[in-house]
Amino acid sequence: MLKRFLSYYKPHRLIFTLDMIASLLVACIGIVYPIITRSILNGFIEHTATTKFVIILGCSLLSLYLLKMALNYFIQYYGHLMGVKIQAKMRRDMFKHLERLPYSFYDDHESGKIVSRMTSDLFDVVELAHHGPENIIISTISVIGAFIYLSLVNVYLTLIIFACTPIVFFVSFKLRKSMKSAFKRRRESDALINASLFSSISGIRVTKAFNNSEKELEKFEKGNQAFQQASKDTYNAMGKFHSANMFITDVFNVIILIAGGIFLYMNKITVADYSAFIVSVNMFIAPIMTLINFTEQFQNGVSGFERYIEIMDVPAEKDSLGATDIKDVKGNIEFKNVTYAYENDKKVLKDVSFSIDRGKVFALVGPSGGGKTTVCHLIPRFYDCNQGEILIDGKEIHSLTLASLRQNIGIVQQDVFLFNASIKENILYGKPDATDEEVIIASKRANIHDYVLTLPKGYDTIIGERGVKLSGGQKQRLSIARVFLKNPPILILDEATSALDNVTEMLIQESLFELCKGRTTIVVAHRLSTVKNADEIAVVNDGKIIEKGSHEELMTLDGEYAKLYNKQFREKGYKMIG
């Protein structure tokens, strides 16, 4: 882990080196003050000091402090700048990695917790990256310099102080363990409350619609209470840690007072040296306490980095060895004995086989949870099947690069996701380098162009988070325009109209009919009216295809499809489309 942490310093070696040199000089300058103080005291006691001597030493010290000010500015500015660049690199690496992670990762991780790792966790990591080396260098040099200087003043008093130092480290080590676990628990609770907040804000319209503000408050308060308890434990551990160390520091002063007084009484030390020792001993104790207090920052940084690499170590999606791009896709699809199970080993698909000829419409119907959407997710390799093969134009999809595979597949889903950007930017997601003319053509084919022209800013109109300023039908048409622009040979319609009312569905069906022309299309639908004219319909139940054929063939069979069809139109009583 240390090696991975240090790797982020490599691009900033020059600034880091200069920062460390500046820290070293600041530590050395810090030792000068007690040396000058002792010289002046001895000069006055021995009557050798002159006004000129004091002024020269004072001006020299002032010059060093001016240099120290410049060095501290360099440390603060360029040191933090280095930290920001390291943080930006970590965030970039993490974001790129998140983009490459499989669907299954997002099934198990809440968005709010992921955001927490990228923000607060990385902030603490970078604080450690910046201040850690400085604290270690400045404090270590200060301790060594102070020890040498104090030994020159009085070696016996110095050894007494030095002998007490292990007590501080022992107490620190004992209390550090509880502080580490407390910090970890607080980070987890912090991520939990962020996830709860993210979820509640994203679903605020649903909350208002169902008048469930109190319920959301209750859920939020649960996380809030967990955060308070974790913070309470953390501050309890911190309180014990700091108070114990401060007590030991105070004991040091008592030891110096008693031992120094005895030495002074026994003429083992002069008044000037005793005064200088009392003034200077803090120069030895302070950096030790800095190193000990650094433990808190160290724990924060290490905890944050551990959580960072937890995500970075999740295996990313990658092409199979020897994978090649697929070109000139015709659209023939074949499933051969495909079985798929999630992590709990519950099989969602069981030995599924079927084939779709290029340009044909293949529909999947059946009860919820039967495996229809899973079939759709396996084709672009959002998930990988456990057994069997999936072929496109006779090529097994694992032998193809993910980029080329997905480039040839267009998906229109029930839950349309639109970005908080302009209409044009959302459509361009289908083909980022498309011209304005291509965007307009795609919009016309999706029957959304005329509506866009009614907006004050036309295609530059911002549609709000998740397209909140648009109706369900308008959002669906935008997603269809996106696929028109992408122009893939294979199309997947996963419950594309199930969330729409009947009138809107009829309008969207026109766009979908246009979209399906010349493409191999897989349609998942609960409303059987939308798939009646499909070239082939498969009934999926409990992970298996139990019936397959055209609408007329399945109705003649008088099996499960016929039962679903008759029941649906008898109960809902709406006019069939097509």
Side-chain angles (χ1 to χ4, degrees):
M1 187 172 75
L2 179 61
K3 186 178 180 181
R4 293 174 68 173
F5 181 71
L6 294 177
S7 67
Y8 285 96
Y9 285 102
K10 285 185 179 179
H12 315 288
R13 280 173 288 194
L14 178 59
I15 292 180
F16 178 75
T17 301
L18 294 175
D19 190 46
M20 294 304 101
I21 292 173
S23 300
L24 176 62
L25 291 174
V26 167
C28 293
I29 291 171
I31 301 172
V32 173
Y33 178 75
I35 294 175
I36 291 178
T37 302
R38 185 190 180 209
S39 298
I40 292 175
L41 283 173
N42 279 326
F44 278 118
I45 290 172
E46 296 173 4
H47 304 291
T48 57
T50 63
T51 304
K52 182 180 179 180
F53 172 72
V54 173
I55 292 173
I56 290 173
L57 288 179
C59 289
S60 299
L61 186 61
L62 180 61
S63 300
L64 287 173
Y65 281 167
L66 287 172
L67 174 61
K68 183 180 177 182
M69 180 180 70
L71 292 170
N72 277 325
Y73 172 80
F74 182 90
I75 292 169
Q76 289 298 314
Y77 178 70
Y78 286 100
H80 277 105
L81 193 62
M82 177 186 69
V84 167
K85 289 181 178 179
I86 289 174
Q87 185 179 37
K89 178 66 166 63
M90 286 183 170
R91 283 182 174 171
R92 190 181 305 114
D93 289 348
M94 186 174 178
F95 184 80
K96 286 170 65 176
H97 189 68
L98 286 168
E99 289 289 304
R100 295 195 296 265
L101 291 180
Y103 260 46
S104 55
F105 174 82
Y106 296 97
D107 292 340
D108 302 325
H109 293 80
E110 295 178 68
S111 301
K113 291 183 179 180
I114 296 172
V115 171
S116 178
R117 295 196 184 198
M118 188 176 279
T119 52
S120 58
D121 283 0
L122 285 188
F123 175 78
D124 288 333
V125 172
V126 171
E127 284 294 291
L128 174 63
H130 170 217
H131 294 293
E134 290 175 8
N135 284 339
I136 292 172
I137 287 181
I138 292 176
S139 299
T140 302
I141 296 298
S142 297
V143 168
I144 294 172
F147 180 79
I148 294 171
Y149 171 70
L150 291 175
S151 296
L152 293 174
V153 175
N154 189 285
V155 68
Y156 299 109
L157 270 179
T158 304
L159 290 174
I160 291 172
I161 296 300
F162 186 74
C164 295
T165 303
I167 300 173
V168 181
F169 285 101
F170 175 76
V171 172
S172 171
F173 177 78
K174 295 296 287 185
L175 294 175
R176 186 167 62 92
K177 289 183 178 180
S178 61
M179 196 162 71
K180 180 180 180 179
S181 62
F183 271 119
K184 186 176 182 180
R185 288 195 300 273
R186 190 173 73 167
R187 289 203 167 281
E188 290 170 351
S189 65
D190 195 22
L192 182 65
I193 200 171
N194 282 345
S196 175
L197 185 62
F198 186 86
S199 175
S200 295
I201 292 175
S202 299
I204 189 66
R205 291 166 184 81
V206 176
T207 300
K208 289 182 177 296
F210 285 90
N211 196 29
N212 272 336
S213 297
E214 289 298 322
K215 182 68 177 177
E216 286 301 307
L217 179 60
E218 182 182 324
K219 286 161 59 179
F220 176 81
E221 192 57 33
K222 184 178 179 181
N224 207 21
Q225 289 294 332
F227 173 77
Q228 288 186 61
Q229 185 59 50
S231 297
K232 179 182 177 182
D233 295 340
T234 300
Y235 292 128
N236 180 43
M238 286 172 59
K240 291 177 180 177
F241 181 83
H242 290 298
S243 60
N245 286 324
M246 290 304 296
F247 174 73
I248 293 172
T249 302
D250 293 336
V251 170
F252 275 2
N253 291 324
V254 173
I255 292 171
I256 294 166
L257 181 67
I258 295 173
I262 294 172
F263 281 20
L264 190 64
Y265 177 77
M266 298 173 62
N267 294 319
K268 298 290 184 180
I269 190 172
T270 65
V271 173
D273 284 350
Y274 181 47
S275 300
F277 198 96
I278 292 175
V279 170
S280 308
V281 74
N282 190 57
M283 186 178 67
F284 177 75
I285 296 173
I288 289 177
M289 298 311 299
T290 299
L291 285 174
I292 291 170
N293 292 332
F294 169 66
T295 302
E296 180 183 336
Q297 188 180 67
F298 179 79
Q299 295 298 346
N300 271 333
V302 169
S303 296
F305 193 68
E306 284 175 347
R307 289 163 62 78
Y308 168 74
I309 63 176
E310 274 180 16
I311 288 183
M312 296 302 292
D313 285 344
V314 176
E317 286 183 320
K318 61 181 180 180
D319 294 326
S320 302
L321 190 64
T324 57
D325 290 343
I326 185 170
K327 299 176 182 178
D328 302 320
V329 176
K330 304 296 186 296
N332 297 299
I333 300 173
E334 185 176 4
F335 272 54
K336 288 185 176 180
N337 307 113
V338 171
T339 296
Y340 177 75
Y342 290 106
E343 290 182 1
N344 59 9
D345 294 329
K346 181 182 178 182
K347 290 183 178 180
V348 182
L349 295 179
K350 306 169 185 177
D351 198 32
V352 171
S353 297
F354 63 83
S355 61
I356 312 170
D357 293 333
R358 60 180 296 185
K360 298 296 184 180
V361 177
F362 184 81
L364 296 167
V365 300
S368 298
K372 303 184 298 296
T373 296
T374 301
V375 170
C376 298
H377 285 168
L378 290 178
I379 297 172
R381 283 191 61 194
F382 292 155
Y383 302 100
D384 285 324
C385 59
N386 303 106
Q387 296 175 15
E389 291 181 317
I390 302 173
L391 297 91
I392 293 179
D393 292 348
K395 298 176 181 178
E396 213 286 324
I397 60 173
H398 288 86
S399 69
L400 309 173
T401 59
L402 286 166
S404 68
L405 173 66
R406 292 171 183 174
Q407 183 60 38
N408 286 283
I409 300 172
I411 303 175
V412 181
Q413 297 174 304
Q414 172 187 347
D415 185 18
V416 177
F417 187 93
L418 298 174
F419 296 91
N420 186 17
S422 68
I423 288 176
K424 178 183 174 182
E425 288 173 306
N426 273 282
I427 296 175
L428 278 172
Y429 221 73
K431 185 183 176 184
D433 59 348
T435 64
D436 289 349
E437 184 180 359
E438 289 176 305
V439 170
I440 292 172
I441 291 172
S443 299
K444 286 180 177 178
R445 297 183 71 184
N447 291 324
I448 189 69
H449 175 70
D450 292 341
Y451 167 73
V452 174
L453 293 182
T454 66
L455 301 173
K457 294 185 178 180
Y459 281 91
D460 293 321
T461 302
I462 303 299
I463 61 176
E465 188 176 10
R466 298 181 66 90
V468 69
K469 296 180 181 179
L470 303 177
S471 69
Q474 290 160 354
K475 286 192 285 188
Q476 195 62 279
R477 288 184 201 177
L478 268 188
S479 72
I480 293 171
R482 219 157 40 183
V483 178
F484 266 123
L485 195 61
K486 185 177 183 180
N487 194 28
I490 297 172
L491 178 64
I492 296 173
L493 305 178
D494 187 4
E495 300 281 8
T497 61
S498 65
L500 306 176
D501 60 80
N502 294 337
V503 175
T504 305
E505 181 187 7
M506 291 177 65
L507 297 173
I508 297 297
Q509 284 288 1
E510 296 176 13
S511 302
L512 291 176
F513 180 75
E514 175 69 19
L515 183 61
C516 293
K517 286 181 180 178
R519 309 178 201 274
T520 303
T521 305
I522 298 176
V523 182
V524 175
H526 280 297
R527 293 180 183 175
L528 300 188
S529 60
T530 62
V531 300
K532 183 181 173 218
N533 296 321
D535 295 297
E536 191 169 27
I537 302 170
V539 181
V540 183
N541 190 8
D542 193 28
K544 298 178 182 179
I545 293 180
I546 58 174
E547 291 177 4
K548 190 166 58 174
S550 66
H551 170 75
E552 291 75 15
E553 290 170 342
L554 292 174
M555 290 301 290
T556 302
L557 184 64
D558 196 25
E560 191 64 30
Y561 177 81
K563 290 179 183 177
L564 288 171
Y565 187 85
N566 292 326
K567 181 180 179 182
Q568 186 173 112
F569 292 108
R570 183 174 62 250
E571 289 183 354
K572 295 190 176 180
Y574 57 74
K575 187 178 179 180
M576 292 179 289
I577 301 169

